[in-house]
Amino acid sequence: MTPPALLFGMFVYAFYENYAIRPYSPVSYLVMAPALRAVTPIAQCSPLVYQRYFQECGGICGEQQRVWFGTTATLETLQNTYDLDALRAQLKGFDEVSLHLAPGRPGLAEGCNEAWVSAYDDYAID
């Protein structure tokens, strides 16, 4: 018989979707890829957040995981800091790994941009 805690953990892993998972929370260890949890923000100006969500089927189905943080660093600095090839090698099973930088959203300090490293895994539909 499966212990209830293990069964609960399996459900959390399979179905947990959240756009604001706190680092070091128990759930972050269950649902986030270790290689993404190891990404360290640079020139950070807002809290680090993990995100995990599923893309609905309509041609593309899959799971997206992100490390999101506010930063004052430039895209060039971020590209020189994060080795995406090494990250791809660590994220076996994920199809795409990318780095993005966008203007900060309302509520962030002046000059604080949004940066995220994301990994995407598409599901094969038979």
Side-chain angles (χ1 to χ4, degrees), residues 8-9 12-13 16-39 48-52 63 65-67 91 94:
F8 177 74
V12 166
Y13 180 79
Y16 192 75
E17 178 175 71
N18 193 325
Y19 292 94
I21 302 169
R22 294 176 188 236
Y24 309 111
S25 69
V27 165
S28 75
Y29 291 97
L30 284 174
V31 302
M32 291 297 296
L36 287 176
R37 285 196 326 266
V39 171
L48 172 69
V49 176
Y50 297 142
Q51 301 174 329
R52 179 185 190 217
E63 174 187 355
Q65 292 189 16
R66 285 186 180 164
V67 176
L91 289 164
F94 283 87

Side-chain angles (χ1 to χ4, degrees), residues 7-100:
L7 186 61
F8 177 74
M10 290 186 312
F11 279 114
V12 166
Y13 180 79
F15 299 112
Y16 192 75
E17 178 175 71
N18 193 325
Y19 292 94
I21 302 169
R22 294 176 188 236
Y24 309 111
S25 69
V27 165
S28 75
Y29 291 97
L30 284 174
V31 302
M32 291 297 296
L36 287 176
R37 285 196 326 266
V39 171
T40 304
I42 60 168
Q44 187 175 356
C45 56
S46 74
L48 172 69
V49 176
Y50 297 142
Q51 301 174 329
R52 179 185 190 217
Y53 57 95
F54 300 97
Q55 292 184 287
E56 301 299 326
C57 292
I60 298 177
C61 306
E63 174 187 355
Q64 181 93 23
Q65 292 189 16
R66 285 186 180 164
V67 176
W68 180 95
F69 58 95
T71 185
T72 57
T74 64
L75 181 58
E76 183 180 2
T77 302
L78 293 170
Q79 289 170 335
N80 291 332
T81 301
Y82 303 117
D83 183 354
L84 294 184
D85 291 330
L87 194 55
R88 276 185 200 95
Q90 293 172 18
L91 289 164
K92 292 177 177 57
F94 283 87
D95 302 300
E96 298 175 20
V97 176
S98 57
L99 169 68
H100 304 273

